[in-house]
């Protein structure tokens, strides 16, 4: 019973906020336009403040967990290669193959991963998720571009040049916040209370606001329009990739916060930005949106199940 409550308390508050967002949209308290603008605020201002606050105040010696970072990066690389192979053999148009491929290796580590890590492991879990996400983001962006280079048309390849991707990574606010936080933590730089209080106030609204906006964009009717590619992409994202990653991590001796971080990072739904990338670079934007919605909905059950099993086996 304790294991059930532990798992439930880690997941329930996160998805309850999304449910509230869905209800608010149905009641027309929150509009789609507001949800889009508020989500943009969260990703450009709110989450960077949250990451900086988590990392800057954490113990630097615990943050740079090199084996964990190497495992995560290697897992993303292998997921990318595996999804290219899966997409290659699917009887789908190229525009849909690219979307299915990116769904398997690109997770939403911030919107759901960060609050679940915090619920499970407290401040240390939040800091570890922040750092591993900072190392994962450049690889996500690079492999998305390569995916559309492989399956996209000429125009898509021009839009997805590696130089443009490098520039986008360099000015990504989440990565910048992580680097600044590491710098402050490593050097032990004291920050004025007026600055830390302001950053923490902004950080405090980021997660609940983002989750409410996520729920406000949910539309069940969009989950079944492209059943085969949606099913394949969602199964890879929520079941196959996290299962293989966690089994490999256990075999290599990862336990506790490290193993929990690995599971949450690889078991999260597809990144919400995958829709934007698909739409810009010649992929099937409608399918990308369907996979996002499907993985968000069913991750309520897969994340709970995974946490329950790992906790029951005393691995986290």
């Amino acid at each position: 019973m304790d294991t059930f409550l532990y798992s439930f308390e880690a997941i329930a508050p996160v998805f309850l906020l999304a449910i509230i967002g869905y209800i608010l949209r149905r009641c027309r308290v929150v509009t789609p336009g507001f949800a889009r603008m508020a989500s943009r605020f969260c990703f450009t201002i709110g989450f960077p403040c949250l990451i900086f606050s988590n990392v800057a105040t954490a113990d630097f010696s615990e943050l740079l967990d090199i084996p964990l970072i190497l495992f995560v990066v290697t897992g993303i690389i292998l997921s990318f290669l595996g999804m290219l192979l899966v997409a290659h053999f699917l009887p789908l148009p190229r525009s849909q193959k690219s979307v299915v491929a990116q769904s398997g290796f690109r997770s939403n580590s911030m919107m759901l991963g960060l609050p679940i890590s915090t619920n499970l492991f407290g401040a240390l879990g939040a800091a570890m998720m922040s750092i591993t996400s900072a190392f994962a983001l450049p690889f996500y962006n690079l492999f998305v571009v390569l995916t559309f280079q492989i399956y996209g048309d000429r125009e898509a390849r021009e839009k997805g040049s590696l130089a443009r991707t490098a520039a986008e990574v360099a000015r990504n606010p989440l990565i910048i916040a992580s680097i600044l936080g590491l710098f402050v933590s490593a050097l032990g730089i004291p920050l004025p209370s007026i600055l830390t209080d302001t950053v923490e106030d902004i950080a405090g609204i980021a997660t609940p606001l983002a989750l409410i906006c996520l729920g406000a964009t949910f539309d069940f009717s969009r989950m079944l329009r492209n059943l085969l590619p949606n099913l394949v992409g969602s199964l890879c994202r929520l079941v196959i990739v996290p299962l293989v990653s966690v089994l490999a991590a256990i075999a290599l001796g990862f336990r506790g916060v490290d193993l929990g971080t690995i599971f949450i990072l690889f078991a999260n739904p597809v990144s919400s930005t995958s829709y934007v990338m698909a739409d810009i670079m010649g992929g099937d934007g409608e399918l990308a949106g369907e996979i996002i919605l499907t993985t968000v909905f069913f991750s309520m059950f897969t994340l709970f199940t995974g946490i329950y099993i790992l906790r029951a086996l005393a691995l986290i």
Side-chain angles (χ1 to χ4, degrees), residues 171-229:
R171 60 175 181 262
N172 187 304
L174 302 177
I175 295 175
I176 293 171
S178 301
I179 294 172
L180 290 176
L182 279 173
F183 183 75
V184 171
S185 176
L187 299 182
I189 300 173
L191 299 175
S193 60
I194 188 172
L195 175 61
T196 57
D197 290 347
T198 302
V199 169
E200 288 175 3
D201 285 343
I202 297 174
I205 66 174
T207 296
L209 180 59
L211 291 170
I212 288 172
C213 292
L214 176 66
T217 61
F218 210 86
D219 182 358
F220 287 96
S221 65
R222 295 176 56 191
M223 291 172 57
L224 299 175
R225 294 177 186 169
N226 294 283
L227 187 57
L228 174 61

Side-chain angles (χ1 to χ4, degrees), residues 253-292:
F254 287 98
R255 298 292 187 274
V257 178
D258 284 1
L259 181 60
T261 300
I262 289 168
F263 169 69
I264 295 168
L265 185 73
F266 284 101
N268 266 312
V270 177
S271 171
S272 57
T273 57
S274 63
Y275 167 80
V276 178
M277 292 297 292
D279 195 48
I280 291 174
M281 299 180 65
D284 189 328
E286 180 178 294
L287 173 61
E290 292 169 20
I291 294 177
I292 292 169

Side-chain angles (χ1 to χ4, degrees), residues 65-259:
D65 189 333
I66 301 302
L68 173 62
I69 292 170
L70 288 176
F71 182 91
V72 167
V73 171
T74 303
I76 293 170
I77 293 171
L78 294 177
S79 298
F80 163 67
L81 295 175
M83 290 308 300
L84 286 183
L85 188 63
V86 169
H88 176 75
F89 288 103
L90 288 175
L92 299 172
R94 295 173 66 85
S95 62
Q96 291 193 337
K97 288 188 177 193
S98 59
V99 172
V100 172
Q102 73 162 339
S103 69
F105 63 82
R106 195 178 193 197
S107 78
N108 195 341
S109 55
M110 283 291 98
M111 188 176 292
L112 294 179
L114 201 52
I116 292 174
S117 296
T118 304
N119 291 344
L120 284 174
F121 306 113
L124 177 59
M128 295 301 291
M129 180 58 68
S130 298
I131 290 300
T132 53
S133 297
F135 281 92
L137 280 170
F139 289 93
Y140 289 154
N141 292 334
L142 171 64
F143 292 150
V144 166
V145 170
L146 291 177
T147 298
F148 285 101
Q149 291 278 342
I150 293 170
Y151 289 113
D153 54 24
R154 180 178 178 182
E155 182 180 357
R157 288 193 291 270
E158 291 173 354
K159 289 181 179 178
S161 67
L162 295 180
R164 177 176 293 185
T165 301
E168 290 176 354
V169 168
R171 60 175 181 262
N172 187 304
L174 302 177
I175 295 175
I176 293 171
S178 301
I179 294 172
L180 290 176
L182 279 173
F183 183 75
V184 171
S185 176
L187 299 182
I189 300 173
L191 299 175
S193 60
I194 188 172
L195 175 61
T196 57
D197 290 347
T198 302
V199 169
E200 288 175 3
D201 285 343
I202 297 174
I205 66 174
T207 296
L209 180 59
L211 291 170
I212 288 172
C213 292
L214 176 66
T217 61
F218 210 86
D219 182 358
F220 287 96
S221 65
R222 295 176 56 191
M223 291 172 57
L224 299 175
R225 294 177 186 169
N226 294 283
L227 187 57
L228 174 61
N230 190 349
L231 181 63
V232 173
S234 298
L235 279 175
C236 289
R237 174 69 267 154
L238 298 180
V239 179
I240 297 174
V241 170
L243 180 61
V244 173
S245 301
V246 167
L247 289 177
I250 292 171
L252 291 172
F254 287 98
R255 298 292 187 274
V257 178
D258 284 1
L259 181 60

